[in-house]
Amino acid sequence: MLLSAVLVTMSVACTSSSDSDGGESASSCAYRAEYQNRTYSGAEVRGFTLGNKLGAATLPPCDDTPSDDSDGQATPTSTTAYAIEGVDPSIAIGLEQASDDVIFVNVDSDTKLPEIKKMIQGS
């Protein structure tokens, strides 16, 4: 069953941007999720099918603008993790709040994105 995921309303893309006034570069937080004591990083992949609902996942807090005079304590966001057909959830998962072309790859996994793409295409 292909499940259309909802776009994340808060953007936490892994990019850097430059200030149009001063030209300084500011980092943005990486698009990461935590599920079952693992950290996953967002990666663009097309053509995958979400499988069964796995449980609760968390998008960790982010302070990507340290000079904005805030205390830097953004709150974590809860979401639902889903299996990806053909891929073990210890390697990669899908998230309810992610766009339909983003998966989350376990940062500690020895499996690389091209290998994951092959697993998805083989399912």
Side-chain angles (χ1 to χ4, degrees), residues 8 12-15 29-34 38-45 48 58-60 84 91-95 97-99 101-108 113 116-117:
V8 175
V12 285
C14 181
T15 62
C29 295
Y31 197 13
R32 294 194 181 250
E34 296 171 353
R38 294 183 198 103
T39 300
Y40 296 80
S41 182
E44 186 175 335
V45 176
F48 64 91
T58 303
L59 300 174
I84 297 171
I91 296 171
I93 59 174
L95 293 183
Q97 292 185 332
S99 66
D101 63 350
V102 173
I103 65 170
F104 288 77
V105 179
N106 182 349
V107 297
D108 292 326
L113 191 57
I116 295 169
K117 287 180 179 181

PDB file of all heavy atoms in Angstrom, residues 8 12-15 29-34 38-45 48 58-60 84 91-95 97-99 101-108 113 116-117:
ATOM      1  N   VAL A   8       6.509  18.054   5.631  1.00  0.00           N
ATOM      2  CA  VAL A   8       6.866  18.650   6.909  1.00  0.00           C
ATOM      3  C   VAL A   8       6.567  20.135   6.839  1.00  0.00           C
ATOM      4  O   VAL A   8       6.969  20.814   5.909  1.00  0.00           O
ATOM      5  CB  VAL A   8       8.355  18.425   7.212  1.00  0.00           C
ATOM      6  CG1 VAL A   8       8.767  19.136   8.484  1.00  0.00           C
ATOM      7  CG2 VAL A   8       8.653  16.948   7.299  1.00  0.00           C
ATOM      8  N   VAL A  12      13.536  21.696   7.883  1.00  0.00           N
ATOM      9  CA  VAL A  12      14.810  21.477   8.548  1.00  0.00           C
ATOM     10  C   VAL A  12      15.758  20.806   7.556  1.00  0.00           C
ATOM     11  O   VAL A  12      16.340  19.788   7.825  1.00  0.00           O
ATOM     12  CB  VAL A  12      14.645  20.628   9.836  1.00  0.00           C
ATOM     13  CG1 VAL A  12      14.039  21.447  10.940  1.00  0.00           C
ATOM     14  CG2 VAL A  12      13.844  19.378   9.591  1.00  0.00           C
ATOM     15  N   ALA A  13      15.867  21.398   6.404  1.00  0.00           N
ATOM     16  CA  ALA A  13      16.704  20.839   5.346  1.00  0.00           C
ATOM     17  C   ALA A  13      18.175  20.950   5.707  1.00  0.00           C
ATOM     18  O   ALA A  13      18.571  21.813   6.464  1.00  0.00           O
ATOM     19  CB  ALA A  13      16.435  21.573   4.039  1.00  0.00           C
ATOM     20  N   CYS A  14      18.938  20.091   5.117  1.00  0.00           N
ATOM     21  CA  CYS A  14      20.377  20.078   5.360  1.00  0.00           C
ATOM     22  C   CYS A  14      21.054  20.969   4.328  1.00  0.00           C
ATOM     23  O   CYS A  14      21.541  20.497   3.318  1.00  0.00           O
ATOM     24  CB  CYS A  14      20.885  18.644   5.267  1.00  0.00           C
ATOM     25  SG  CYS A  14      22.631  18.482   5.568  1.00  0.00           S
ATOM     26  N   THR A  15      21.045  22.256   4.590  1.00  0.00           N
ATOM     27  CA  THR A  15      21.611  23.205   3.649  1.00  0.00           C
ATOM     28  C   THR A  15      22.316  24.312   4.399  1.00  0.00           C
ATOM     29  O   THR A  15      22.236  24.412   5.604  1.00  0.00           O
ATOM     30  CB  THR A  15      20.510  23.863   2.788  1.00  0.00           C
ATOM     31  OG1 THR A  15      19.641  24.590   3.655  1.00  0.00           O
ATOM     32  CG2 THR A  15      19.733  22.842   2.007  1.00  0.00           C
ATOM     33  N   CYS A  29      19.857  22.938  10.378  1.00  0.00           N
ATOM     34  CA  CYS A  29      19.944  21.618  10.991  1.00  0.00           C
ATOM     35  C   CYS A  29      19.733  20.531   9.949  1.00  0.00           C
ATOM     36  O   CYS A  29      18.965  20.695   9.009  1.00  0.00           O
ATOM     37  CB  CYS A  29      18.881  21.485  12.073  1.00  0.00           C
ATOM     38  SG  CYS A  29      19.143  22.615  13.442  1.00  0.00           S
ATOM     39  N   ALA A  30      20.416  19.434  10.130  1.00  0.00           N
ATOM     40  CA  ALA A  30      20.222  18.281   9.261  1.00  0.00           C
ATOM     41  C   ALA A  30      18.834  17.717   9.507  1.00  0.00           C
ATOM     42  O   ALA A  30      18.311  17.785  10.619  1.00  0.00           O
ATOM     43  CB  ALA A  30      21.282  17.231   9.560  1.00  0.00           C
ATOM     44  N   TYR A  31      18.228  17.172   8.474  1.00  0.00           N
ATOM     45  CA  TYR A  31      16.910  16.555   8.581  1.00  0.00           C
ATOM     46  C   TYR A  31      17.122  15.168   9.189  1.00  0.00           C
ATOM     47  O   TYR A  31      17.491  14.234   8.510  1.00  0.00           O
ATOM     48  CB  TYR A  31      16.286  16.496   7.200  1.00  0.00           C
ATOM     49  CG  TYR A  31      14.797  16.263   7.182  1.00  0.00           C
ATOM     50  CD1 TYR A  31      14.009  16.368   8.315  1.00  0.00           C
ATOM     51  CD2 TYR A  31      14.173  15.939   5.992  1.00  0.00           C
ATOM     52  CE1 TYR A  31      12.648  16.161   8.270  1.00  0.00           C
ATOM     53  CE2 TYR A  31      12.810  15.737   5.930  1.00  0.00           C
ATOM     54  CZ  TYR A  31      12.049  15.853   7.067  1.00  0.00           C
ATOM     55  OH  TYR A  31      10.692  15.635   7.013  1.00  0.00           O
ATOM     56  N   ARG A  32      16.940  15.060  10.495  1.00  0.00           N
ATOM     57  CA  ARG A  32      17.209  13.825  11.222  1.00  0.00           C
ATOM     58  C   ARG A  32      15.985  13.363  11.985  1.00  0.00           C
ATOM     59  O   ARG A  32      15.108  14.150  12.313  1.00  0.00           O
ATOM     60  CB  ARG A  32      18.362  14.018  12.193  1.00  0.00           C
ATOM     61  CG  ARG A  32      19.659  14.270  11.481  1.00  0.00           C
ATOM     62  CD  ARG A  32      20.830  14.130  12.415  1.00  0.00           C
ATOM     63  NE  ARG A  32      22.058  14.407  11.695  1.00  0.00           N
ATOM     64  CZ  ARG A  32      22.954  13.489  11.400  1.00  0.00           C
ATOM     65  NH1 ARG A  32      22.786  12.258  11.789  1.00  0.00           N
ATOM     66  NH2 ARG A  32      24.045  13.806  10.755  1.00  0.00           N
ATOM     67  N   ALA A  33      15.969  12.090  12.286  1.00  0.00           N
ATOM     68  CA  ALA A  33      14.908  11.494  13.089  1.00  0.00           C
ATOM     69  C   ALA A  33      15.529  10.482  14.029  1.00  0.00           C
ATOM     70  O   ALA A  33      16.592   9.921  13.749  1.00  0.00           O
ATOM     71  CB  ALA A  33      13.888  10.805  12.189  1.00  0.00           C
ATOM     72  N   GLU A  34      14.863  10.260  15.150  1.00  0.00           N
ATOM     73  CA  GLU A  34      15.298   9.239  16.103  1.00  0.00           C
ATOM     74  C   GLU A  34      14.187   8.218  16.240  1.00  0.00           C
ATOM     75  O   GLU A  34      13.016   8.571  16.402  1.00  0.00           O
ATOM     76  CB  GLU A  34      15.603   9.886  17.451  1.00  0.00           C
ATOM     77  CG  GLU A  34      16.774  10.854  17.369  1.00  0.00           C
ATOM     78  CD  GLU A  34      16.965  11.679  18.632  1.00  0.00           C
ATOM     79  OE1 GLU A  34      16.117  11.607  19.546  1.00  0.00           O
ATOM     80  OE2 GLU A  34      17.956  12.429  18.682  1.00  0.00           O
ATOM     81  N   ARG A  38      18.068   4.814  17.575  1.00  0.00           N
ATOM     82  CA  ARG A  38      18.912   4.992  16.390  1.00  0.00           C
ATOM     83  C   ARG A  38      18.664   6.390  15.844  1.00  0.00           C
ATOM     84  O   ARG A  38      17.564   6.923  15.949  1.00  0.00           O
ATOM     85  CB  ARG A  38      18.562   3.978  15.301  1.00  0.00           C
ATOM     86  CG  ARG A  38      18.862   2.551  15.651  1.00  0.00           C
ATOM     87  CD  ARG A  38      18.536   1.650  14.444  1.00  0.00           C
ATOM     88  NE  ARG A  38      18.412   0.287  14.874  1.00  0.00           N
ATOM     89  CZ  ARG A  38      17.266  -0.363  15.035  1.00  0.00           C
ATOM     90  NH1 ARG A  38      16.126   0.227  14.787  1.00  0.00           N
ATOM     91  NH2 ARG A  38      17.258  -1.617  15.426  1.00  0.00           N
ATOM     92  N   THR A  39      19.667   6.955  15.195  1.00  0.00           N
ATOM     93  CA  THR A  39      19.520   8.243  14.530  1.00  0.00           C
ATOM     94  C   THR A  39      19.534   8.007  13.024  1.00  0.00           C
ATOM     95  O   THR A  39      20.398   7.307  12.505  1.00  0.00           O
ATOM     96  CB  THR A  39      20.662   9.201  14.924  1.00  0.00           C
ATOM     97  OG1 THR A  39      20.621   9.392  16.341  1.00  0.00           O
ATOM     98  CG2 THR A  39      20.517  10.543  14.230  1.00  0.00           C
ATOM     99  N   TYR A  40      18.556   8.591  12.352  1.00  0.00           N
ATOM    100  CA  TYR A  40      18.396   8.455  10.909  1.00  0.00           C
ATOM    101  C   TYR A  40      18.520   9.828  10.269  1.00  0.00           C
ATOM    102  O   TYR A  40      18.061  10.823  10.819  1.00  0.00           O
ATOM    103  CB  TYR A  40      17.017   7.880  10.572  1.00  0.00           C
ATOM    104  CG  TYR A  40      16.783   6.482  11.069  1.00  0.00           C
ATOM    105  CD1 TYR A  40      16.444   6.234  12.393  1.00  0.00           C
ATOM    106  CD2 TYR A  40      16.883   5.396  10.206  1.00  0.00           C
ATOM    107  CE1 TYR A  40      16.220   4.934  12.849  1.00  0.00           C
ATOM    108  CE2 TYR A  40      16.654   4.097  10.649  1.00  0.00           C
ATOM    109  CZ  TYR A  40      16.329   3.885  11.977  1.00  0.00           C
ATOM    110  OH  TYR A  40      16.101   2.602  12.412  1.00  0.00           O
ATOM    111  N   SER A  41      19.112   9.870   9.093  1.00  0.00           N
ATOM    112  CA  SER A  41      19.274  11.117   8.359  1.00  0.00           C
ATOM    113  C   SER A  41      18.466  11.038   7.063  1.00  0.00           C
ATOM    114  O   SER A  41      18.477  10.015   6.372  1.00  0.00           O
ATOM    115  CB  SER A  41      20.752  11.322   8.038  1.00  0.00           C
ATOM    116  OG  SER A  41      20.940  12.545   7.376  1.00  0.00           O
ATOM    117  N   GLY A  42      17.786  12.135   6.721  1.00  0.00           N
ATOM    118  CA  GLY A  42      16.945  12.170   5.534  1.00  0.00           C
ATOM    119  C   GLY A  42      17.748  12.101   4.247  1.00  0.00           C
ATOM    120  O   GLY A  42      18.818  12.695   4.133  1.00  0.00           O
ATOM    121  N   ALA A  43      17.214  11.351   3.270  1.00  0.00           N
ATOM    122  CA  ALA A  43      17.839  11.223   1.958  1.00  0.00           C
ATOM    123  C   ALA A  43      16.731  11.102   0.909  1.00  0.00           C
ATOM    124  O   ALA A  43      15.711  10.470   1.149  1.00  0.00           O
ATOM    125  CB  ALA A  43      18.732   9.983   1.907  1.00  0.00           C
ATOM    126  N   GLU A  44      16.946  11.706  -0.237  1.00  0.00           N
ATOM    127  CA  GLU A  44      15.944  11.665  -1.302  1.00  0.00           C
ATOM    128  C   GLU A  44      16.051  10.355  -2.073  1.00  0.00           C
ATOM    129  O   GLU A  44      17.112   9.981  -2.546  1.00  0.00           O
ATOM    130  CB  GLU A  44      16.149  12.841  -2.251  1.00  0.00           C
ATOM    131  CG  GLU A  44      15.056  12.937  -3.283  1.00  0.00           C
ATOM    132  CD  GLU A  44      15.185  14.173  -4.163  1.00  0.00           C
ATOM    133  OE1 GLU A  44      15.785  15.158  -3.721  1.00  0.00           O
ATOM    134  OE2 GLU A  44      14.685  14.125  -5.288  1.00  0.00           O
ATOM    135  N   VAL A  45      14.931   9.662  -2.173  1.00  0.00           N
ATOM    136  CA  VAL A  45      14.836   8.424  -2.936  1.00  0.00           C
ATOM    137  C   VAL A  45      13.437   8.392  -3.551  1.00  0.00           C
ATOM    138  O   VAL A  45      12.458   8.706  -2.891  1.00  0.00           O
ATOM    139  CB  VAL A  45      15.014   7.180  -2.032  1.00  0.00           C
ATOM    140  CG1 VAL A  45      14.812   5.899  -2.817  1.00  0.00           C
ATOM    141  CG2 VAL A  45      16.379   7.178  -1.383  1.00  0.00           C
ATOM    142  N   PHE A  48       9.734   4.372  -3.658  1.00  0.00           N
ATOM    143  CA  PHE A  48       9.623   3.395  -2.574  1.00  0.00           C
ATOM    144  C   PHE A  48       8.172   3.309  -2.097  1.00  0.00           C
ATOM    145  O   PHE A  48       7.371   4.213  -2.325  1.00  0.00           O
ATOM    146  CB  PHE A  48      10.560   3.728  -1.410  1.00  0.00           C
ATOM    147  CG  PHE A  48      10.255   5.025  -0.708  1.00  0.00           C
ATOM    148  CD1 PHE A  48       9.396   5.066   0.383  1.00  0.00           C
ATOM    149  CD2 PHE A  48      10.850   6.200  -1.122  1.00  0.00           C
ATOM    150  CE1 PHE A  48       9.129   6.256   1.037  1.00  0.00           C
ATOM    151  CE2 PHE A  48      10.594   7.398  -0.485  1.00  0.00           C
ATOM    152  CZ  PHE A  48       9.730   7.427   0.597  1.00  0.00           C
ATOM    153  N   THR A  58      10.937  10.595  16.592  1.00  0.00           N
ATOM    154  CA  THR A  58      11.084  11.975  17.032  1.00  0.00           C
ATOM    155  C   THR A  58      11.998  12.735  16.093  1.00  0.00           C
ATOM    156  O   THR A  58      13.056  12.240  15.707  1.00  0.00           O
ATOM    157  CB  THR A  58      11.689  12.019  18.450  1.00  0.00           C
ATOM    158  OG1 THR A  58      10.856  11.271  19.330  1.00  0.00           O
ATOM    159  CG2 THR A  58      11.805  13.434  18.957  1.00  0.00           C
ATOM    160  N   LEU A  59      11.588  13.943  15.736  1.00  0.00           N
ATOM    161  CA  LEU A  59      12.467  14.873  15.036  1.00  0.00           C
ATOM    162  C   LEU A  59      13.098  15.713  16.138  1.00  0.00           C
ATOM    163  O   LEU A  59      12.395  16.418  16.863  1.00  0.00           O
ATOM    164  CB  LEU A  59      11.671  15.754  14.074  1.00  0.00           C
ATOM    165  CG  LEU A  59      10.908  15.011  12.978  1.00  0.00           C
ATOM    166  CD1 LEU A  59      10.048  15.987  12.183  1.00  0.00           C
ATOM    167  CD2 LEU A  59      11.847  14.270  12.068  1.00  0.00           C
ATOM    168  N   PRO A  60      14.425  15.597  16.355  1.00  0.00           N
ATOM    169  CA  PRO A  60      15.060  16.271  17.492  1.00  0.00           C
ATOM    170  C   PRO A  60      15.008  17.791  17.372  1.00  0.00           C
ATOM    171  O   PRO A  60      14.825  18.330  16.285  1.00  0.00           O
ATOM    172  CB  PRO A  60      16.489  15.759  17.459  1.00  0.00           C
ATOM    173  CG  PRO A  60      16.700  15.183  16.131  1.00  0.00           C
ATOM    174  CD  PRO A  60      15.368  14.851  15.547  1.00  0.00           C
ATOM    175  N   ILE A  84       9.825   0.529   5.213  1.00  0.00           N
ATOM    176  CA  ILE A  84       9.917   0.705   3.766  1.00  0.00           C
ATOM    177  C   ILE A  84       9.984  -0.702   3.192  1.00  0.00           C
ATOM    178  O   ILE A  84      10.833  -1.500   3.602  1.00  0.00           O
ATOM    179  CB  ILE A  84      11.168   1.515   3.379  1.00  0.00           C
ATOM    180  CG1 ILE A  84      11.059   2.925   3.964  1.00  0.00           C
ATOM    181  CG2 ILE A  84      11.338   1.546   1.868  1.00  0.00           C
ATOM    182  CD1 ILE A  84      12.317   3.736   3.828  1.00  0.00           C
ATOM    183  N   ILE A  91      17.897  -0.265   8.988  1.00  0.00           N
ATOM    184  CA  ILE A  91      18.696   0.401   7.954  1.00  0.00           C
ATOM    185  C   ILE A  91      18.048   1.716   7.520  1.00  0.00           C
ATOM    186  O   ILE A  91      18.714   2.733   7.407  1.00  0.00           O
ATOM    187  CB  ILE A  91      18.892  -0.519   6.728  1.00  0.00           C
ATOM    188  CG1 ILE A  91      19.697  -1.747   7.140  1.00  0.00           C
ATOM    189  CG2 ILE A  91      19.558   0.220   5.582  1.00  0.00           C
ATOM    190  CD1 ILE A  91      19.781  -2.820   6.086  1.00  0.00           C
ATOM    191  N   ALA A  92      16.722   1.689   7.275  1.00  0.00           N
ATOM    192  CA  ALA A  92      16.028   2.893   6.818  1.00  0.00           C
ATOM    193  C   ALA A  92      14.544   2.797   7.150  1.00  0.00           C
ATOM    194  O   ALA A  92      13.987   1.703   7.223  1.00  0.00           O
ATOM    195  CB  ALA A  92      16.220   3.082   5.316  1.00  0.00           C
ATOM    196  N   ILE A  93      13.936   3.971   7.340  1.00  0.00           N
ATOM    197  CA  ILE A  93      12.512   4.080   7.642  1.00  0.00           C
ATOM    198  C   ILE A  93      11.909   5.235   6.848  1.00  0.00           C
ATOM    199  O   ILE A  93      12.626   6.069   6.300  1.00  0.00           O
ATOM    200  CB  ILE A  93      12.248   4.317   9.154  1.00  0.00           C
ATOM    201  CG1 ILE A  93      12.948   5.599   9.632  1.00  0.00           C
ATOM    202  CG2 ILE A  93      12.669   3.105   9.978  1.00  0.00           C
ATOM    203  CD1 ILE A  93      12.629   6.009  11.063  1.00  0.00           C
ATOM    204  N   GLY A  94      10.588   5.269   6.812  1.00  0.00           N
ATOM    205  CA  GLY A  94       9.863   6.413   6.286  1.00  0.00           C
ATOM    206  C   GLY A  94       9.178   7.110   7.444  1.00  0.00           C
ATOM    207  O   GLY A  94       8.968   6.510   8.502  1.00  0.00           O
ATOM    208  N   LEU A  95       8.841   8.376   7.268  1.00  0.00           N
ATOM    209  CA  LEU A  95       8.163   9.122   8.324  1.00  0.00           C
ATOM    210  C   LEU A  95       6.867   9.709   7.811  1.00  0.00           C
ATOM    211  O   LEU A  95       6.785  10.147   6.660  1.00  0.00           O
ATOM    212  CB  LEU A  95       9.029  10.269   8.849  1.00  0.00           C
ATOM    213  CG  LEU A  95      10.288   9.914   9.601  1.00  0.00           C
ATOM    214  CD1 LEU A  95      10.972  11.184  10.093  1.00  0.00           C
ATOM    215  CD2 LEU A  95      10.004   8.993  10.769  1.00  0.00           C
ATOM    216  N   GLN A  97       5.580  12.545   8.526  1.00  0.00           N
ATOM    217  CA  GLN A  97       5.683  13.967   8.240  1.00  0.00           C
ATOM    218  C   GLN A  97       6.693  14.315   7.140  1.00  0.00           C
ATOM    219  O   GLN A  97       6.941  15.484   6.899  1.00  0.00           O
ATOM    220  CB  GLN A  97       6.044  14.744   9.504  1.00  0.00           C
ATOM    221  CG  GLN A  97       4.936  14.751  10.517  1.00  0.00           C
ATOM    222  CD  GLN A  97       5.280  15.623  11.711  1.00  0.00           C
ATOM    223  OE1 GLN A  97       6.443  15.800  12.052  1.00  0.00           O
ATOM    224  NE2 GLN A  97       4.261  16.157  12.351  1.00  0.00           N
ATOM    225  N   ALA A  98       7.251  13.327   6.480  1.00  0.00           N
ATOM    226  CA  ALA A  98       8.228  13.600   5.422  1.00  0.00           C
ATOM    227  C   ALA A  98       7.530  13.595   4.067  1.00  0.00           C
ATOM    228  O   ALA A  98       6.484  12.979   3.896  1.00  0.00           O
ATOM    229  CB  ALA A  98       9.332  12.548   5.446  1.00  0.00           C
ATOM    230  N   SER A  99       8.129  14.269   3.094  1.00  0.00           N
ATOM    231  CA  SER A  99       7.568  14.242   1.749  1.00  0.00           C
ATOM    232  C   SER A  99       7.697  12.831   1.184  1.00  0.00           C
ATOM    233  O   SER A  99       8.434  12.000   1.704  1.00  0.00           O
ATOM    234  CB  SER A  99       8.273  15.262   0.856  1.00  0.00           C
ATOM    235  OG  SER A  99       9.609  14.897   0.654  1.00  0.00           O
ATOM    236  N   ASP A 101       9.203  11.578  -1.203  1.00  0.00           N
ATOM    237  CA  ASP A 101      10.440  11.172  -1.858  1.00  0.00           C
ATOM    238  C   ASP A 101      11.639  11.233  -0.908  1.00  0.00           C
ATOM    239  O   ASP A 101      12.778  11.342  -1.322  1.00  0.00           O
ATOM    240  CB  ASP A 101      10.708  11.998  -3.117  1.00  0.00           C
ATOM    241  CG  ASP A 101      10.900  13.481  -2.840  1.00  0.00           C
ATOM    242  OD1 ASP A 101      10.651  13.918  -1.698  1.00  0.00           O
ATOM    243  OD2 ASP A 101      11.292  14.204  -3.768  1.00  0.00           O
ATOM    244  N   VAL A 102      11.354  11.140   0.409  1.00  0.00           N
ATOM    245  CA  VAL A 102      12.415  11.177   1.410  1.00  0.00           C
ATOM    246  C   VAL A 102      12.310   9.950   2.311  1.00  0.00           C
ATOM    247  O   VAL A 102      11.240   9.624   2.810  1.00  0.00           O
ATOM    248  CB  VAL A 102      12.333  12.461   2.271  1.00  0.00           C
ATOM    249  CG1 VAL A 102      13.330  12.414   3.422  1.00  0.00           C
ATOM    250  CG2 VAL A 102      12.575  13.689   1.419  1.00  0.00           C
ATOM    251  N   ILE A 103      13.426   9.261   2.467  1.00  0.00           N
ATOM    252  CA  ILE A 103      13.531   8.184   3.453  1.00  0.00           C
ATOM    253  C   ILE A 103      14.554   8.619   4.491  1.00  0.00           C
ATOM    254  O   ILE A 103      15.293   9.583   4.280  1.00  0.00           O
ATOM    255  CB  ILE A 103      13.942   6.829   2.823  1.00  0.00           C
ATOM    256  CG1 ILE A 103      15.356   6.901   2.229  1.00  0.00           C
ATOM    257  CG2 ILE A 103      12.925   6.376   1.787  1.00  0.00           C
ATOM    258  CD1 ILE A 103      15.915   5.556   1.823  1.00  0.00           C
ATOM    259  N   PHE A 104      14.624   7.899   5.587  1.00  0.00           N
ATOM    260  CA  PHE A 104      15.575   8.204   6.650  1.00  0.00           C
ATOM    261  C   PHE A 104      16.485   7.002   6.832  1.00  0.00           C
ATOM    262  O   PHE A 104      16.027   5.910   7.132  1.00  0.00           O
ATOM    263  CB  PHE A 104      14.841   8.570   7.935  1.00  0.00           C
ATOM    264  CG  PHE A 104      14.203   9.922   7.830  1.00  0.00           C
ATOM    265  CD1 PHE A 104      13.030  10.090   7.131  1.00  0.00           C
ATOM    266  CD2 PHE A 104      14.825  11.034   8.374  1.00  0.00           C
ATOM    267  CE1 PHE A 104      12.455  11.344   6.984  1.00  0.00           C
ATOM    268  CE2 PHE A 104      14.267  12.294   8.225  1.00  0.00           C
ATOM    269  CZ  PHE A 104      13.083  12.448   7.536  1.00  0.00           C
ATOM    270  N   VAL A 105      17.780   7.227   6.626  1.00  0.00           N
ATOM    271  CA  VAL A 105      18.785   6.172   6.647  1.00  0.00           C
ATOM    272  C   VAL A 105      19.521   6.212   7.978  1.00  0.00           C
ATOM    273  O   VAL A 105      19.955   7.277   8.431  1.00  0.00           O
ATOM    274  CB  VAL A 105      19.775   6.352   5.479  1.00  0.00           C
ATOM    275  CG1 VAL A 105      20.847   5.274   5.510  1.00  0.00           C
ATOM    276  CG2 VAL A 105      19.041   6.362   4.144  1.00  0.00           C
ATOM    277  N   ASN A 106      19.672   5.054   8.614  1.00  0.00           N
ATOM    278  CA  ASN A 106      20.394   4.936   9.879  1.00  0.00           C
ATOM    279  C   ASN A 106      21.836   5.400   9.666  1.00  0.00           C
ATOM    280  O   ASN A 106      22.568   4.841   8.857  1.00  0.00           O
ATOM    281  CB  ASN A 106      20.355   3.484  10.350  1.00  0.00           C
ATOM    282  CG  ASN A 106      21.037   3.259  11.674  1.00  0.00           C
ATOM    283  OD1 ASN A 106      21.740   4.120  12.197  1.00  0.00           O
ATOM    284  ND2 ASN A 106      20.842   2.089  12.229  1.00  0.00           N
ATOM    285  N   VAL A 107      22.233   6.435  10.413  1.00  0.00           N
ATOM    286  CA  VAL A 107      23.577   7.004  10.220  1.00  0.00           C
ATOM    287  C   VAL A 107      24.675   6.035  10.640  1.00  0.00           C
ATOM    288  O   VAL A 107      25.824   6.189  10.212  1.00  0.00           O
ATOM    289  CB  VAL A 107      23.741   8.356  10.956  1.00  0.00           C
ATOM    290  CG1 VAL A 107      22.788   9.397  10.399  1.00  0.00           C
ATOM    291  CG2 VAL A 107      23.580   8.219  12.451  1.00  0.00           C
ATOM    292  N   ASP A 108      24.363   5.039  11.460  1.00  0.00           N
ATOM    293  CA  ASP A 108      25.363   4.064  11.893  1.00  0.00           C
ATOM    294  C   ASP A 108      25.349   2.787  11.062  1.00  0.00           C
ATOM    295  O   ASP A 108      26.122   1.870  11.313  1.00  0.00           O
ATOM    296  CB  ASP A 108      25.139   3.703  13.371  1.00  0.00           C
ATOM    297  CG  ASP A 108      25.449   4.877  14.284  1.00  0.00           C
ATOM    298  OD1 ASP A 108      26.364   5.658  13.973  1.00  0.00           O
ATOM    299  OD2 ASP A 108      24.770   5.009  15.314  1.00  0.00           O
ATOM    300  N   LEU A 113      23.458   4.421   0.526  1.00  0.00           N
ATOM    301  CA  LEU A 113      22.247   4.791  -0.206  1.00  0.00           C
ATOM    302  C   LEU A 113      22.079   4.031  -1.529  1.00  0.00           C
ATOM    303  O   LEU A 113      20.971   3.565  -1.809  1.00  0.00           O
ATOM    304  CB  LEU A 113      22.197   6.301  -0.429  1.00  0.00           C
ATOM    305  CG  LEU A 113      20.875   6.850  -0.938  1.00  0.00           C
ATOM    306  CD1 LEU A 113      19.713   6.487  -0.018  1.00  0.00           C
ATOM    307  CD2 LEU A 113      20.957   8.347  -1.098  1.00  0.00           C
ATOM    308  N   ILE A 116      20.644   0.746  -0.702  1.00  0.00           N
ATOM    309  CA  ILE A 116      19.250   0.864  -0.262  1.00  0.00           C
ATOM    310  C   ILE A 116      18.333   1.039  -1.471  1.00  0.00           C
ATOM    311  O   ILE A 116      17.274   0.436  -1.543  1.00  0.00           O
ATOM    312  CB  ILE A 116      19.091   2.025   0.745  1.00  0.00           C
ATOM    313  CG1 ILE A 116      19.881   1.705   2.018  1.00  0.00           C
ATOM    314  CG2 ILE A 116      17.623   2.277   1.062  1.00  0.00           C
ATOM    315  CD1 ILE A 116      20.018   2.868   2.982  1.00  0.00           C
ATOM    316  N   LYS A 117      18.776   1.841  -2.440  1.00  0.00           N
ATOM    317  CA  LYS A 117      17.980   2.026  -3.662  1.00  0.00           C
ATOM    318  C   LYS A 117      17.770   0.699  -4.380  1.00  0.00           C
ATOM    319  O   LYS A 117      16.691   0.414  -4.877  1.00  0.00           O
ATOM    320  CB  LYS A 117      18.635   3.041  -4.589  1.00  0.00           C
ATOM    321  CG  LYS A 117      18.526   4.469  -4.093  1.00  0.00           C
ATOM    322  CD  LYS A 117      19.191   5.429  -5.060  1.00  0.00           C
ATOM    323  CE  LYS A 117      19.073   6.857  -4.593  1.00  0.00           C
ATOM    324  NZ  LYS A 117      19.696   7.814  -5.527  1.00  0.00           N
TER     325      LYS A 117
END
